[in-house]
Amino acid sequence: MDRVQDEKKSPNHDDTFNPIFPSLHNVSEDSGPRNYVDAPSPIRLKADTSSDEALKHIRTANNISISPELFEKLYLTPQKAVKGDLRSTFANPTPVALLGFLLSCTPLACELMGWRGAGGNGAATIGAYYFFGGLLMTLGGILEFVLGNTFAFVVFCSYGGFWFTLGSTLTPFYNAYGAYASDPTKAYEGLASKGFHASYGFFLLFMGFLSLLYLICALRTNMVFVTIFFGLFMTFVILTGSYWEIALDHANVAAKLQIASGAFAFLACVAGWWIFFAQMLASVDFPFQIPVGDISHLIRSGTERAQDKERFSA
């Protein structure tokens, strides 16, 4: 009878598992003393526990403890309702999309900074923009859509579109810069025209604005994603200034801005390689994991705020 009374819940009890304060689960002011001697031992979930197994224990257990690494894995990759058993059927598409981004952006960052005499606005790696950046990121985004991951789907597809756009702009067939050449037979002259640089700068500017929106959303995830989107935001904004300075015939200022934009792009790539490595370690169930800097607890979710509002109004 005591055990039955102990398990009764107060009217204000919140059935939702609180991953930040697990000790508050099944606790209320009028729940009475707990019989810790006869109570079952707590279930301890380690970092190498799979997400599905951990969530099953969370739904069925009254007393659990989880490692910080596992909490990060569960909370930053929440399970969404999808039809069928898609997560068991398909692999995780995130690493392949990250790979497409990294093998396009990292060489471009080095070219923007002029390392070892590199230059040409990234024209030397135009193939990577199509077949790594554009293709792999778009493919990864579509698969994220299938799995119900809205944020990853939008991010990967939008940046995949950027790489396709950059590649096609640098491809003579599309005549993007040739339209600005004074001589139609000398399309390459358009790359030096003021009109081309002034116009293309607007595309880079709004890519920077898009990256800023992603940066704000990333504040609910981890420090690695924040670093990536901050680096990309600064890259696009500074590169916009470089293009506009070229349009004003300020070549020296434009060159310095281009180097700065490459440095921020390289920062984003370093963070990208870090989280790609973390994803690959998890994919082979490696015995250790590298942290990605969970900051999800700094800004409470809208769901948690709504639950608190309902609890206090009841």
Side-chain angles (χ1 to χ4, degrees), residues 247-308:
L248 296 174
D249 287 331
H250 299 161
N252 292 333
V253 177
K256 294 178 181 179
L257 290 176
Q258 178 177 306
I259 294 174
S261 67
F264 278 106
F266 193 79
L267 171 66
C269 291
V270 169
W273 283 111
W274 179 271
I275 200 166
F276 173 76
F277 183 44
Q279 292 267 337
M280 295 308 296
L281 288 176
S283 69
V284 296
D285 196 21
F286 215 74
F288 72 86
Q289 297 180 2
I290 57 177
V292 294
D294 171 33
I295 58 172
S296 58
H297 58 280
L298 298 180
I299 302 178
R300 301 186 65 205
S301 68
T303 302
E304 292 174 337
R305 292 176 182 272
Q307 290 173 348
D308 288 343

Side-chain angles (χ1 to χ4, degrees), residues 72-268:
E72 189 173 45
K73 183 194 299 182
L74 291 174
Y75 193 65
L76 300 185
T77 313
Q79 298 286 317
K80 300 182 189 299
V82 292
K83 199 170 185 179
D85 197 15
L86 295 179
R87 290 190 175 88
S88 299
T89 304
F90 296 107
N92 179 14
T94 302
V96 72
L98 288 173
L99 181 64
F101 165 75
L102 292 170
L103 289 181
S104 299
C105 192
T106 308
L108 177 60
C110 298
E111 293 169 22
L112 291 175
M113 290 186 288
W115 285 1
R116 299 190 62 82
N121 293 320
T125 50
I126 189 172
Y129 306 153
Y130 282 115
F131 299 107
F132 276 101
L135 179 61
L136 293 188
M137 293 199 75
T138 303
L139 176 62
I142 293 173
L143 293 177
E144 295 284 4
F145 168 80
V146 173
L147 296 180
N149 299 327
T150 303
F151 183 66
F153 156 62
V154 176
V155 169
F156 291 153
C157 285
S158 60
Y159 284 126
F162 165 76
W163 291 116
F164 276 130
T165 301
L166 179 60
S168 59
T169 300
L170 296 175
T171 302
F173 173 80
Y174 294 101
N175 201 39
Y177 52 84
Y180 293 88
S182 56
D183 186 352
T185 63
K186 299 179 180 180
Y188 60 88
E189 292 182 351
L191 287 172
S193 67
K194 296 180 181 180
F196 172 77
H197 287 89
S199 301
Y200 195 74
F202 283 105
F203 173 65
L204 297 174
L205 177 66
F206 286 103
M207 282 300 304
F209 177 71
L210 179 64
S211 299
L212 176 62
L213 298 183
Y214 292 156
L215 173 60
I216 296 173
C217 295
L219 295 176
R220 280 281 300 148
T221 58
N222 56 62
M223 282 303 301
V224 176
F225 280 138
V226 169
T227 303
I228 292 174
F229 290 123
F230 172 75
L232 292 177
F233 165 68
M234 295 299 296
T235 297
F236 286 121
V237 171
I238 296 176
L239 198 57
T240 299
S242 177
Y243 271 72
W244 284 348
E245 289 298 322
I246 293 177
L248 296 174
D249 287 331
H250 299 161
N252 292 333
V253 177
K256 294 178 181 179
L257 290 176
Q258 178 177 306
I259 294 174
S261 67
F264 278 106
F266 193 79
L267 171 66

